[in-house]
Amino acid sequence: MITNGIYRFFLVWYVCGVVLLSFDLLPSWLEWANAVFLHLSSLLALIYLAKAYGIRRALVVAVFVTGASIYVESLGVKYGFLFGSYDYEKDFGAKILGVPLTIGSAWFMVVITSRILALGIMKRMELPFIVHGIAYAVIGSLFAVIMDLAIDPVAYVVKQYWVWEGDSFYYNIPLSNFSGWFLLSFFIQLVVYFFLAKVPKEEEPVWEKRMVFLYSAVVMMFVIVALVNGLWLVVWLTMIPFLILYIVYKKETRL
């Protein structure tokens, strides 16, 4: 099937990307490969969502997540809202409101992959509907922040994809960035949860596993680059919470 072909193509692109980024072999004329990677990741998330909930609902979710994240990111770029003050340095392709469309794609991938992990952890929890939704949004947002703990230092310190105007113990990235990631993710996850909660869902165990792998692969790619470049704080602060939550996920989803 074409969807399986897209997934295999992503795997090849991913392996090449890890090698090129880890050893700083990516030439300037190939910077567009970063945008392709992010759009591919987003496409895989869309494929899963379409298989599980239908193409129309998947597209509605994709438009909402992409639009909401780009709008809030644009406020961050212009006014330092939520995340702190920063500017995009590298060419990530077409922009909307001063924010590369690829950033919206990245957010969509983060939200959907985090959703699978959060729902897996909560698989056996019996909670009132509202409470369940809030707990899900909290866990999903923790996964989003964990990924950003790896992404931002590598993107800023190693690759200079964007530049922060501030200082903190964490590679001079404003800590408001991570609280901002949590808050934006929480809002988006909550809306997505209530939108899809009552919708009949097709079980897609293969693609759910692929979403878990996608999340893990992206985290590991940035952790590897951080390790090669001596960003040890990134390795520890990312891997410890990730492994704890991943072990809980595996335990709760074990039949």
Side-chain angles (χ1 to χ4, degrees):
M1 293 178 62
I2 189 171
T3 53
N4 291 328
I6 294 172
Y7 181 73
R8 287 191 288 269
F9 178 70
F10 167 81
L11 294 178
V12 174
W13 201 269
Y14 172 80
V15 172
C16 293
V18 170
V19 173
L20 292 174
L21 290 176
S22 298
F23 299 99
D24 198 21
L25 299 174
L26 187 68
S28 58
W29 60 267
L30 198 56
E31 289 290 346
W32 54 268
N34 295 313
V36 173
F37 175 80
L38 292 174
H39 287 313
L40 267 176
S41 301
S42 177
L43 179 58
L44 292 179
L46 181 64
I47 290 171
Y48 159 73
L49 210 61
K51 286 178 174 289
Y53 295 99
I55 186 62
R56 290 185 180 179
R57 292 187 182 90
L59 289 174
V60 169
V61 172
V63 170
F64 166 70
V65 174
T66 303
S69 59
I70 286 178
Y71 177 70
V72 175
E73 289 267 1
S74 73
L75 297 179
V77 172
K78 292 179 181 177
Y79 309 111
F81 174 73
L82 210 59
F83 305 107
S85 184
Y86 60 99
D87 296 292
Y88 293 105
E89 293 292 304
K90 298 293 179 68
D91 183 11
F92 277 87
K95 291 183 178 181
I96 299 177
L97 300 177
V99 177
L101 182 58
T102 47
I103 298 300
S105 291
W107 265 102
F108 180 62
M109 176 273 294
V110 172
V111 167
I112 301 306
T113 55
S114 297
R115 172 182 171 82
I116 302 303
L117 288 157
L119 289 177
I121 287 176
M122 300 186 65
K123 187 174 183 179
R124 305 182 193 185
M125 293 185 187
E126 295 184 3
L127 299 170
F129 179 65
I130 300 289
V131 177
H132 190 277
I134 293 173
Y136 151 80
V138 168
I139 296 172
S141 299
L142 287 176
F143 275 110
V145 172
I146 288 171
M147 184 178 286
D148 192 47
L149 283 169
I151 291 175
D152 258 307
V154 171
Y156 173 33
V157 178
V158 180
K159 300 300 179 182
Q160 291 82 49
Y161 291 149
W162 47 81
V163 175
W164 289 99
E165 299 172 15
D167 61 273
S168 75
F169 77 94
Y170 199 62
Y171 305 100
N172 289 324
I173 300 170
L175 299 184
S176 59
N177 171 66
F178 303 106
S179 62
W181 262 68
F182 182 90
L183 291 173
L184 178 55
S185 174
F186 182 85
F187 167 71
I188 291 176
Q189 290 284 18
L190 208 56
V191 172
V192 172
Y193 176 84
F194 289 119
F195 179 68
L196 296 177
K198 301 300 183 179
V199 177
K201 175 177 175 291
E202 293 290 334
E203 294 300 323
E204 290 289 339
V206 171
W207 276 90
E208 285 190 10
K209 290 179 181 178
R210 288 176 175 178
M211 291 299 98
V212 173
F213 171 79
L214 176 58
Y215 177 94
S216 305
V218 172
V219 169
M220 287 308 302
M221 178 174 69
F222 284 94
V223 166
I224 291 170
V225 177
L227 185 61
V228 170
N229 287 273
L231 304 183
W232 290 99
L233 194 55
V234 173
V235 178
W236 292 111
L237 286 186
T238 301
M239 291 307 297
I240 290 175
F242 168 65
L243 288 174
I244 291 172
L245 288 177
Y246 183 75
I247 289 170
V248 174
Y249 167 80
K250 294 298 289 185
K251 178 178 178 293
E252 293 302 316
T253 54
R254 186 181 300 123
L255 296 178

